[in-house]
Structure formats: C-alpha cells, structure tokens
Amino acid sequence: MTALRQLFRFHGGVKPAYNKEPSTTQPIADFYALAPLPAEFVIPLHQSIGGVPHPLVAAGEQVKKGQLIGAPDGYVSSAVHAATSGTVKAVEMRLMPHTSGLSALCVVIAPDGKDEWIERQPVPWRAMAPDEVRDALRDAGVVGLGGAVFPTYLKVNPGKKGKLDTLVINGAECEPFITCDDMQMREQAEKVVRGAAILRDLTQAGQVLIGIEDNKPEAIAAMQAAVTQTGEAKIEIVPVPTRYPAGGAKQLIRVLTGIEVPHGKRSTDYGVQCFNTGTACATYEALELGQPLISRVVTVAGNVLRPRNFVVRFGTPMKDVVALCGPKPDSDRLIMGGPMMGFAMPADTVPVVKATNCILVGSKALFPPPPPEMPCIRCGECAKVCPSDLAPFEMYWFSRAKLFGKAQEYHLFDCIECGCCAYVCPSRIPLVDYYRFAKSEIWAREQEKSAADEARERYEFRMLREEREKQEKAAKLAAKAAETKAKLAAAATPEDAAKKALIAAAMERAQQATQNPPAPPADNAEAPPAPPAQQTPS
Amino acid sequence: MSNAFNSPYFRQPASVRSVMLRVLVALLPGLAAYVWFFGAAILVQIALASLAALAGEAAILALRDKPVWLFVSDGSALVTAWLVALSFPSIAPWWMVVVATLIAIVVVKHLYGGLGQNPFNPAMAAFCIMIVAYPQLMSQWPAAGHQADFAAQWQLIFGGGPRVLDAVTMATALDTMRTALHTAGGTATVGAVFGSQPTFGAFGGKGWEWVALGYLLGGAWLIQQRIITWHIPVAFIAALGVTAGLFHFISPDRYAGALFHILSGGAMLGAFFIATDPVSGATTPKGKLIYAAGIAILAWIIRTFGAYPDGIAFATLLMNICAPLIDLHTQPPVFGHKNGGQP
C-alpha cells in the first residue's frame, strides 16, 4: 500500500535540526494523572478562527465537564466547553496565549474535584443530513488542531462537484521539536484512521492519503497497521520526504497530488481538502463517542529535563504543564508552537488552548538572539528556499520602504510565514517580521479606507438629500405661485375661458411635480467592504 | 519574560562574512596560477588594494556614522579589493590600484548607500574609470616567463619616474590580436597573428589561459558551495562561446575563435566572480541567464570592434543598469499560479 505512489516536489524548503527524539521516548501521559487539577481553568471563548463565541454561563453557575459554555457566534465560529466540573468563578478578561499580550473574555472555572462528565451520546452521523453532522461538529468545538484552528465543520464539505477527489490527512508534522501528532499516531492510530474514514464519508472523497514525514517510521508503521486492522477502504499511508514545511497544508497537497492551490482559493474547488491527524481523531471522538473537544495532545520540549507529550485540557495554565517536565533554570520564555513559526507567550500563566500543539521552553543558549542584522546583499538564498516560490528579498525591500503596493505585487499575501527565508538569510534579517508588519499595515489601511468610504458615502447621500429637498421646496413654491396667479386671473377676467384652461393645465403640472419628487437614492447603499479575514497559515 | 525577537527562533549558521570569505578562497587557484606564471607582483597589488579597501571603508563608515567593525569585518571590501587588483595589470604603479580601490569602496559602494545598495559593480566601475583616465598604464601587463624578476616588477610598481618597459612587460593577447587585426589594413589573419607573437599560448594568452582555468576551478567550487548558481557562469560562457564561435565560423581570418575569447582577458573572472555579484546583477533564474548573456555578448562586441583591449568591465556596467528591469520582467510564477494550479 505504501509502495510506488508518485510524489511531487514543492519548491524550496529547509532541513533544520529536528530535535524530535527527546519528547518521543515516553508515551503520551494524561496530565491530570500526574498532577492535581489546577486551581482554576481559564478557558478563552475565542479559540478558533472567526467569531467570538458568546458565553452561556455566568459567575456562580455549576458546570459539568464537557458542558457547552460558549455558543458559536456567526457562520465562522466554533463552540467551547467546560474542561471539568465545578463552579464558574468569573467570566472576565484574562491574558491570552498570544504574543501581543492582549486579554480576551474567558470563562474561569474552579474545579469541584469530581470531574463529572455531562451525558455523552454518540452522534448517529450516518443517519443524519450533512448539515446536521456539520452542526454537530461545530457544537462539539472541533477545529483544526494543526495550529490554524479553523472550524472543522466548515471544511467538511464535498465541494462543487459533490465529492472530493482526494482527502489529505496531514501527519507530516514538519516543525522541529513538535511530536504530538507523531505520538498520537503511534498510540491512537485506530482513532485517527477511523476519524479519517468519517471525514472521507462526509466529503465523499475518492481516496484518502495520510501523509507522514519519513522521519516518523513508528507512526507510519502504526498507522499502516491500523488501516489494515480496521479494514477501512481507500485509505493510504504515504511517507513523504522530510523537508520543512512539508506539513503546510498547501505544500502537503502539492506533494501528494501535484496540485497547487493558489492563495485565496478553496482547495475543494481543486477536488482536495486537508485535515490534521489530530483533527481526524477529534472528529472521531466527537461523533462516535459524543465527546466535545476539551483537550488535546501537547508537546512540551526545548529547555526542559524531561520533554514529553501530555493530554492537556484547555484552560490549564502553561506553567503547570511545563513544571512537570523540569524546566532548566536558565529558561527565559515559553513559545507556543515550534521554533520556526511559534510565538513567544506574554507570560507563563496563559492557558493551553486548542492551538497549543507545543509548549517550547526557550533559553538564551537554545535560541540565542541573532547577531546584528546586516543589509540584504540580494544573494537569493531566501528565494531558493521559499515554498511559495516568492522573491522574499524583493518583498523585504518594499516592506521596509513601506511600498506596500509593490510588496503586494510581489505576492506578499501568498507568504505563509513559514520562516524558511529568515532561517537561511546570511544577513540575519528577520524577514518574516517585515512581512507581518507589511500585512498588518495593509489591513489597517484597508480598514481605514473602508471607514473613509463609508463616511464619504454618508456625505454624498446627505448632499443628494438636501438637493432633493431644495428641489421639492422650489416645486411647491412654484405651484403655490401658479395657484395664486390663477385665482387672481380668474377673479380679474372670469370670461376668459381659454386663459383659465391654460392656468388649470399649469397647475396640474405643478401638482404633479410635487407629488412625484425625483426618486431618492437607495438608503442601503452598498455596504462597505468587510475588513479582510486574518491570514492564518495552516 | 524576554520577547526580544520573533520566530524563526533558530537559524542556519550563515553570515555575509562566511559568504565573502569563501569567495576569496575561490579566487586562490586563479591567483596561484597568476603568481606561477607572472610573479609575485600581483600579491603586492592585492596587499595594497586590501589595505586601501579596509582603510577607505573604515573611514567612510565612520563618516556615515555606521558601526565600523561590523561592516569592515564582513569581508565584502576585501572581495572588492581583490577583484580590483586581479583586473589591473600587476605591474601598474602602486597608486593606481589604491586610487581605484578607494573609488570602488568610497564612491561606487558607499556613496550609493553601502553594502547591498550599489547599482554598479564597484570593482568594474573603478576599472572603467581608470582605463579611461590612464589607458597607457592600464595596458602594460606582465609577460609570462619573467616571474623570477620580482625586483624589476617591484621597480615598476614603486619606482616612480619614467617607466622602463623592457621584457617584463607585454601587451595582452586580446590587445595584440585587436591591434593587429585593426591596423594591418585588413591583411592580418587571426591564424597569422596567433602564431607570430610570444604573448599567445595554446588557446588564449600565454599563462593567462591557466589563470582562467584557475578561476574556473574556484568558480565551480562556489557553485558546489551554493554561493552562486550555475545560471550566470554557464550563460556567460555559452553566450561568449556561441557569439565568438559563430563569427569565427563565418570568417575565421577576421574573428578569433570561442576558446580564445573564453580563456583570454577577464572572461573567466567575469563569468564566475564579477557577473555573479548579486547586489548589482539580476537575481531571478531566467533573469540571470539574460543578464550574463548580455554581458558576454557586449564584451565580445567591445573586444572585437571597440577601442579598448577588453570589454568585460564596460559590458558589466551596461548590464548593471538593466538588472532591475530584467528582474522585473522575469519574476517566476508563484505557488499556485503555474499551469493554472494543475500538476
């Protein structure tokens, strides 16, 4: 089954030191079997791309483990659930696991120690309409666990043709240090394969290709065995060459099918869709076990004595998880994600969330600050490694010069921020920072522009209205004048019938003018363009 | 918590300095052949140029209020210095290479913004200024076979006063060929000129052809090291070879052949070390091919019909101007925009 599938190459890529081995020596542990429940779970309502779920609970309420506490808001949104049973302490702003240091609305739960589940019922998804299954996935809070946290239910979609050609399950896990997917595939291969089979049926996919980087032979073997054992049809385990970022959704689709899905296009339009292995597992648990997404596998690695993977519930403070692994004394930061694309956390107290695939403990020795930045010498190394075939040094040039239009001409928004360019740059330029800066400036300007457009439209409408009112007034005055004139004329020369008729006709015209004023402009002039959705590398 | 820099948190150990140092190493085989055939004078010139480059760069950096050590130690000034020295006659008076290097570093590099900003190749711009200003001195090259006569070379470099040009100097093969074909009233033939003068070797200039092969060797190593890509050298040599070969085929008596052109003058140095300067050249794969072929063809035209003995420097400057335009029109398609997204 693994033999002789034609694979394709994506342009560029790098081969950083993978550092995956240390966190794979121990099996995945249930965090709560090794540590007491935290004093409080801080569960952010906004844990996926899209609208912020609105809270369904208030301070003082009792909740059970798995109870819905945040209802999806809008089309792109996903539900959030209680991590344990207990009392809602507060629904308040807390620091988010985001590099900006911003706070957002969180449900804070004080555990009662009973850890009592809600009643869980398998979802009879085979007998349900596709839309109902999608709703079930949304209400179970299933989102992309590869790091992009896009609501899964929106992607479970057979596309325009009514069926997909290929469903790609992403087990590549190309970021250094991260091993959560690897370990999950080794230990829960059956769940992952069964989840993939559900996704296959929901998307009517002709084939399922589970791509795993060939530096994970144990995961490949376990998954292979699970496919054989479950007897699921049309599922193939495909080892792919180990090269960062082979786990980028677009890159993996390219490697497995040869298809390049352009930026801004839906992959379903090309007959493919891609889910992470963790997402497949979560889908299985949501539908077959009726278990909402309240935890995930998290790798703790880097500057710790005992790197390991844990099942951690959302809302658990990162520092509690890290503490189990023995952080070394010189640790100076926590990074969520891997070293290539991860973000430094504003504090170690921030909670684990659905996007937390890895907590990477950093230190000056492990991740030394780069030597001083030198000018770009246009050596072109960045272009050689760019998996989106961009010219990073040109984008850098224009971003730095704030020529954002030119940067966009060089496809700034096709950049997936994988960091390959900065990784190889001999001038040590933090290239990705420049792209992030340029993108945020462009978004800000577009927002400003749409606000300005709105103001201009309002102004123009007011001018139009005033003009119209002026005309109406003038018409009324003219009619009144004609009327008075006619009355006077009638009084003066009652015998002049011809003149009378003329006046009557004029009055008629004037009357008509007042009754049918010029059509007002549409009140609901076209709504201003919505601000662009936040870019998320998947 | 420290949050001094953002992802990626680790990087490949690469630096501008390591790039520049490897370019210097790649020049060594050619330099060794140079010393072997033409004596140690070139080492004196390289030392002069290096000192001038470092001093000039340090001074201008200080004037520009830039971190002096950071930039002086990046090695880029040394590369410029070596290229200036290697493109000048090794027996030119000492002040020529010093002035040329200062022009390259201070004027062509730093007045345009320093490392990474210069639109022209500094070494070639300096060469052009000097050959226009001192055509005579720039045409007196050491003769092969007199490498032992270091005292005479030293005298020519540092002697001052009227230059005694004896057996240690000689016009280059390109110069000799051009002069003979241009001045003999159309009677001289390539074959006759080639056989009649001691300046010619087996293919190109005596001794120089080996220096050229040394540059080829070093350049191949640069490709292997991924410092440069194959595009520029291959397009350069192919375009020069095809152009020269075609005209030689049409009229063998009037036009020298492909190998003569490739192994003479600055062709190999140009193909591997000058046209490949990324700052002043084209950067896209297709653009590099066009850019390098442009230099080679222009150089051939200048060599064949122009008034100067070699044309690499002028051709390089002409193509430097075109590089941004070439880049603009040769951007490769980005991910998802090739073949309409289909494999």
Side-chain angles (χ1 to χ4, degrees):
Chain A
M1 288 256 287
T2 56
L4 294 177
R5 161 166 288 280
Q6 190 204 344
L7 294 181
F8 299 84
R9 228 183 146 269
F10 65 89
H11 178 264
V14 294
K15 292 189 172 182
Y18 280 94
N19 292 302
K20 287 177 184 275
E21 208 268 332
S23 58
T24 57
T25 54
Q26 301 267 335
I28 301 173
D30 177 10
F31 173 73
Y32 310 93
L34 301 178
L37 286 173
E40 58 179 30
F41 282 89
V42 179
I43 305 170
L45 286 162
H46 196 213
Q47 293 192 54
S48 72
I49 299 293
V52 183
H54 50 269
L56 296 176
V57 290
E61 271 182 58
Q62 298 292 313
V63 290
K64 283 186 176 173
K65 184 177 175 183
Q67 182 178 328
L68 191 66
I69 55 172
D73 185 58
Y75 180 60
V76 183
S77 188
S78 192
V80 177
H81 303 81
T84 186
S85 60
T87 315
V88 176
K89 259 170 77 176
V91 179
E92 62 183 19
M93 303 297 272
R94 288 290 185 97
L95 193 61
M96 291 290 279
H98 189 274
T99 198
S100 65
L102 289 177
S103 295
L105 203 58
C106 297
V107 174
V108 184
I109 297 173
D112 60 11
K114 290 184 231 160
D115 215 19
E116 194 182 341
W117 269 102
I118 50 160
E119 199 185 329
R120 284 167 289 168
Q121 288 288 337
V123 179
W125 61 275
R126 284 179 202 281
M128 285 159 61
D131 273 348
E132 290 172 339
V133 182
R134 280 193 275 275
D135 286 351
L137 283 173
R138 184 193 59 198
D139 297 339
V142 180
V143 298
L145 294 181
V149 290
F150 191 84
T152 300
Y153 82 98
L154 288 168
K155 285 173 72 182
V156 182
N157 181 344
K160 285 177 189 159
K161 281 194 288 180
K163 63 183 172 74
L164 290 182
D165 300 323
T166 306
L167 177 67
V168 170
I169 302 293
N170 188 345
E173 199 168 48
C174 58
E175 267 254 18
F177 288 98
I178 308 180
T179 57
C180 58
D181 292 347
D182 182 6
M183 293 306 288
Q184 189 175 47
M185 285 188 286
R186 293 189 203 186
E187 297 181 19
Q188 304 174 29
E190 193 194 321
K191 278 188 182 177
V192 176
V193 170
R194 289 200 189 279
I198 295 172
L199 292 168
R200 171 200 66 200
D201 293 347
L202 291 175
T203 56
Q204 302 283 305
Q207 60 172 353
V208 181
L209 303 179
I210 303 183
I212 305 171
E213 273 192 347
D214 57 13
N215 62 355
K216 304 175 187 54
E218 295 91 344
I220 292 169
M223 290 290 285
Q224 190 61 66
V227 171
T228 315
Q229 181 227 323
T230 56
E232 290 290 354
K234 299 188 287 188
I235 297 182
E236 194 178 318
I237 308 298
V238 189
V240 299
T242 298
R243 191 155 52 98
Y244 179 85
K250 289 187 175 182
Q251 279 66 36
L252 189 63
I253 289 172
R254 161 80 191 160
V255 168
L256 291 174
T257 68
I259 295 168
E260 292 188 358
V261 180
H263 167 71
K265 292 279 169 64
R266 285 168 208 273
S267 59
T268 49
D269 292 350
Y270 295 77
V272 290
Q273 185 58 285
C274 181
F275 295 98
N276 175 259
T277 47
T279 314
C281 191
T283 302
Y284 170 83
E285 288 177 344
L287 298 182
E288 294 288 358
L289 310 179
Q291 195 166 299
L293 187 65
I294 60 162
S295 65
R296 64 162 298 149
V297 183
V298 178
T299 306
V300 182
N303 201 43
V304 290
L305 295 170
R306 299 174 296 278
R308 190 168 186 180
N309 283 279
F310 299 94
V311 174
V312 186
R313 292 182 215 156
F314 311 128
T316 308
M318 284 189 184
K319 72 170 178 355
D320 290 14
V321 187
V322 169
L324 266 190
C325 300
K328 296 177 193 168
D330 63 334
S331 302
D332 65 352
R333 82 203 92 160
L334 297 186
I335 294 160
M336 188 168 96
M340 296 298 286
M341 291 184 75
F343 288 94
M345 295 293 99
D348 61 1
T349 50
V350 293
V352 168
V353 290
K354 292 180 183 179
T356 313
N357 48 5
C358 178
I359 304 170
L360 190 55
V361 182
S363 71
K364 276 227 162 56
L366 188 60
F367 303 129
E373 181 179 337
M374 297 283 285
C376 170
I377 54 169
R378 298 170 65 81
C379 66
E381 275 304 305
C382 50
K384 277 192 229 163
V385 299
C386 179
S388 299
D389 307 76
L390 306 175
F393 59 96
E394 302 279 16
M395 292 181 353
Y396 154 73
W397 205 257
F398 294 126
S399 299
R400 196 187 143 106
K402 301 189 180 173
L403 295 169
F404 299 124
K406 290 294 282 181
Q408 272 179 285
E409 275 175 42
Y410 281 83
H411 303 279
L412 174 68
F413 285 97
D414 287 41
C415 167
I416 59 169
E417 300 180 15
C418 66
C420 287
C421 51
Y423 178 77
V424 298
C425 178
S427 291
R428 283 111 29 163
I429 300 168
L431 290 159
V432 186
D433 286 359
Y434 282 95
Y435 310 145
R436 290 182 188 129
F437 162 71
K439 285 178 182 178
S440 61
E441 284 290 305
I442 292 167
W443 285 320
R445 282 180 190 196
E446 278 179 15
Q447 246 155 20
E448 246 168 58
K449 189 177 167 295
S450 67
D453 282 348
E454 214 175 326
R456 184 172 45 75
E457 271 165 24
R458 263 203 310 271
Y459 172 75
E460 281 172 0
F461 176 64
R462 203 186 77 202
M463 297 305 281
L464 249 160
R465 197 189 59 211
E466 284 175 354
E467 182 63 20
R468 192 187 65 201
E469 282 169 354
K470 215 187 269 175
Q471 279 175 5
E472 281 173 10
K473 223 176 204 172
K476 259 183 206 159
L477 279 172
K480 219 169 197 172
E483 205 177 332
T484 332
K485 214 171 174 186
K487 268 182 194 161
L488 282 172
T493 50
E495 66 283 356
D496 199 341
K499 211 171 179 181
K500 219 173 178 178
L502 268 174
I503 289 163
M507 269 175 70
E508 192 115 311
R509 277 200 301 276
Q511 211 97 55
Q512 247 161 19
T514 30
Q515 271 160 13
N516 301 328
D523 277 22
N524 52 347
E526 208 172 310
Q534 183 85 13
Q535 281 274 311
T536 311
S538 41
Chain B
M1 298 191 105
S2 129
N3 190 10
F5 64 103
N6 299 323
S7 60
Y9 290 98
F10 62 2
R11 292 152 174 274
Q12 217 169 40
S15 66
V16 173
R17 187 186 302 168
S18 115
V19 170
M20 295 298 170
L21 290 183
R22 279 182 283 173
V23 173
L24 293 182
V25 168
L27 283 166
L28 292 179
L31 182 59
Y34 203 134
V35 173
W36 177 264
F37 283 100
F38 302 99
I42 184 63
L43 299 179
V44 175
Q45 301 283 8
I46 282 187
L48 286 171
S50 300
L51 284 176
L54 296 177
E57 179 140 282
I60 191 82
L61 282 168
L63 283 174
R64 292 181 62 210
D65 217 5
K66 298 274 177 189
V68 173
W69 173 245
L70 179 67
F71 284 104
V72 165
S73 65
D74 69 18
S76 63
L78 283 181
V79 170
T80 301
W82 285 37
L83 291 176
V84 169
L86 288 170
S87 56
F88 273 51
S90 64
I91 51 173
W94 66 271
W95 54 267
M96 284 187 67
V97 81
V98 169
V99 169
T101 308
L102 289 175
I103 290 173
I105 296 290
V106 174
V107 179
V108 187
K109 182 179 175 184
H110 278 282
L111 291 193
Y112 282 91
L115 181 67
Q117 315 283 321
N118 45 294
F120 296 105
N121 181 302
M124 290 301 100
F127 180 94
C128 288
I129 289 168
M130 296 307 276
I131 201 169
V132 170
Y134 305 98
Q136 208 66 44
L137 288 170
M138 289 292 281
S139 307
Q140 295 162 0
W141 288 80
H146 295 271
Q147 58 268 49
D149 207 346
F150 185 62
Q153 292 184 334
W154 183 270
Q155 179 61 31
L156 283 169
I157 297 172
F158 292 106
R163 289 163 70 82
V164 187
L165 301 171
D166 52 19
V168 301
T169 66
M170 183 178 273
T172 63
L174 276 172
D175 206 6
T176 308
M177 180 69 76
R178 190 184 55 83
T179 310
L181 292 178
H182 277 213
T183 55
T187 54
T189 64
V190 168
V193 176
F194 208 94
S196 68
Q197 301 273 350
T199 188
F200 294 101
F203 303 106
K206 195 173 184 181
W208 293 115
E209 52 203 19
W210 291 101
V211 177
L213 289 173
Y215 292 143
L216 172 69
L217 188 67
W221 180 73
L222 281 186
I223 295 177
Q224 187 267 330
Q225 289 286 300
R226 289 174 55 102
I227 302 280
I228 61 173
T229 62
W230 60 268
H231 303 81
I232 285 179
V234 168
F236 188 107
I237 293 167
L240 185 58
V242 167
T243 311
L246 182 70
F247 278 82
H248 184 66
F249 177 75
I250 294 168
S251 176
D253 288 346
R254 295 282 307 144
Y255 301 103
L259 268 181
F260 175 77
H261 272 286
I262 290 169
L263 293 175
S264 299
M268 279 300 185
L269 192 66
F272 287 99
F273 294 93
I274 288 165
T276 51
D277 168 27
V279 172
S280 57
T283 52
T284 62
K286 209 192 288 176
K288 284 177 181 172
L289 299 177
I290 297 168
Y291 171 78
I295 296 179
I297 292 167
L298 283 172
W300 180 85
I301 292 172
I302 295 168
R303 281 176 173 186
T304 310
F305 305 110
Y308 289 101
D310 200 351
I312 304 290
F314 289 106
T316 304
L317 295 194
L318 286 171
M319 290 310 289
N320 283 164
I321 313 172
C322 305
L325 192 68
I326 295 171
D327 272 353
L328 184 65
H329 290 286
T330 54
Q331 287 297 324
V334 308
F335 188 91
H337 297 279
K338 314 158 204 160
N339 319 318
Q342 291 306 311

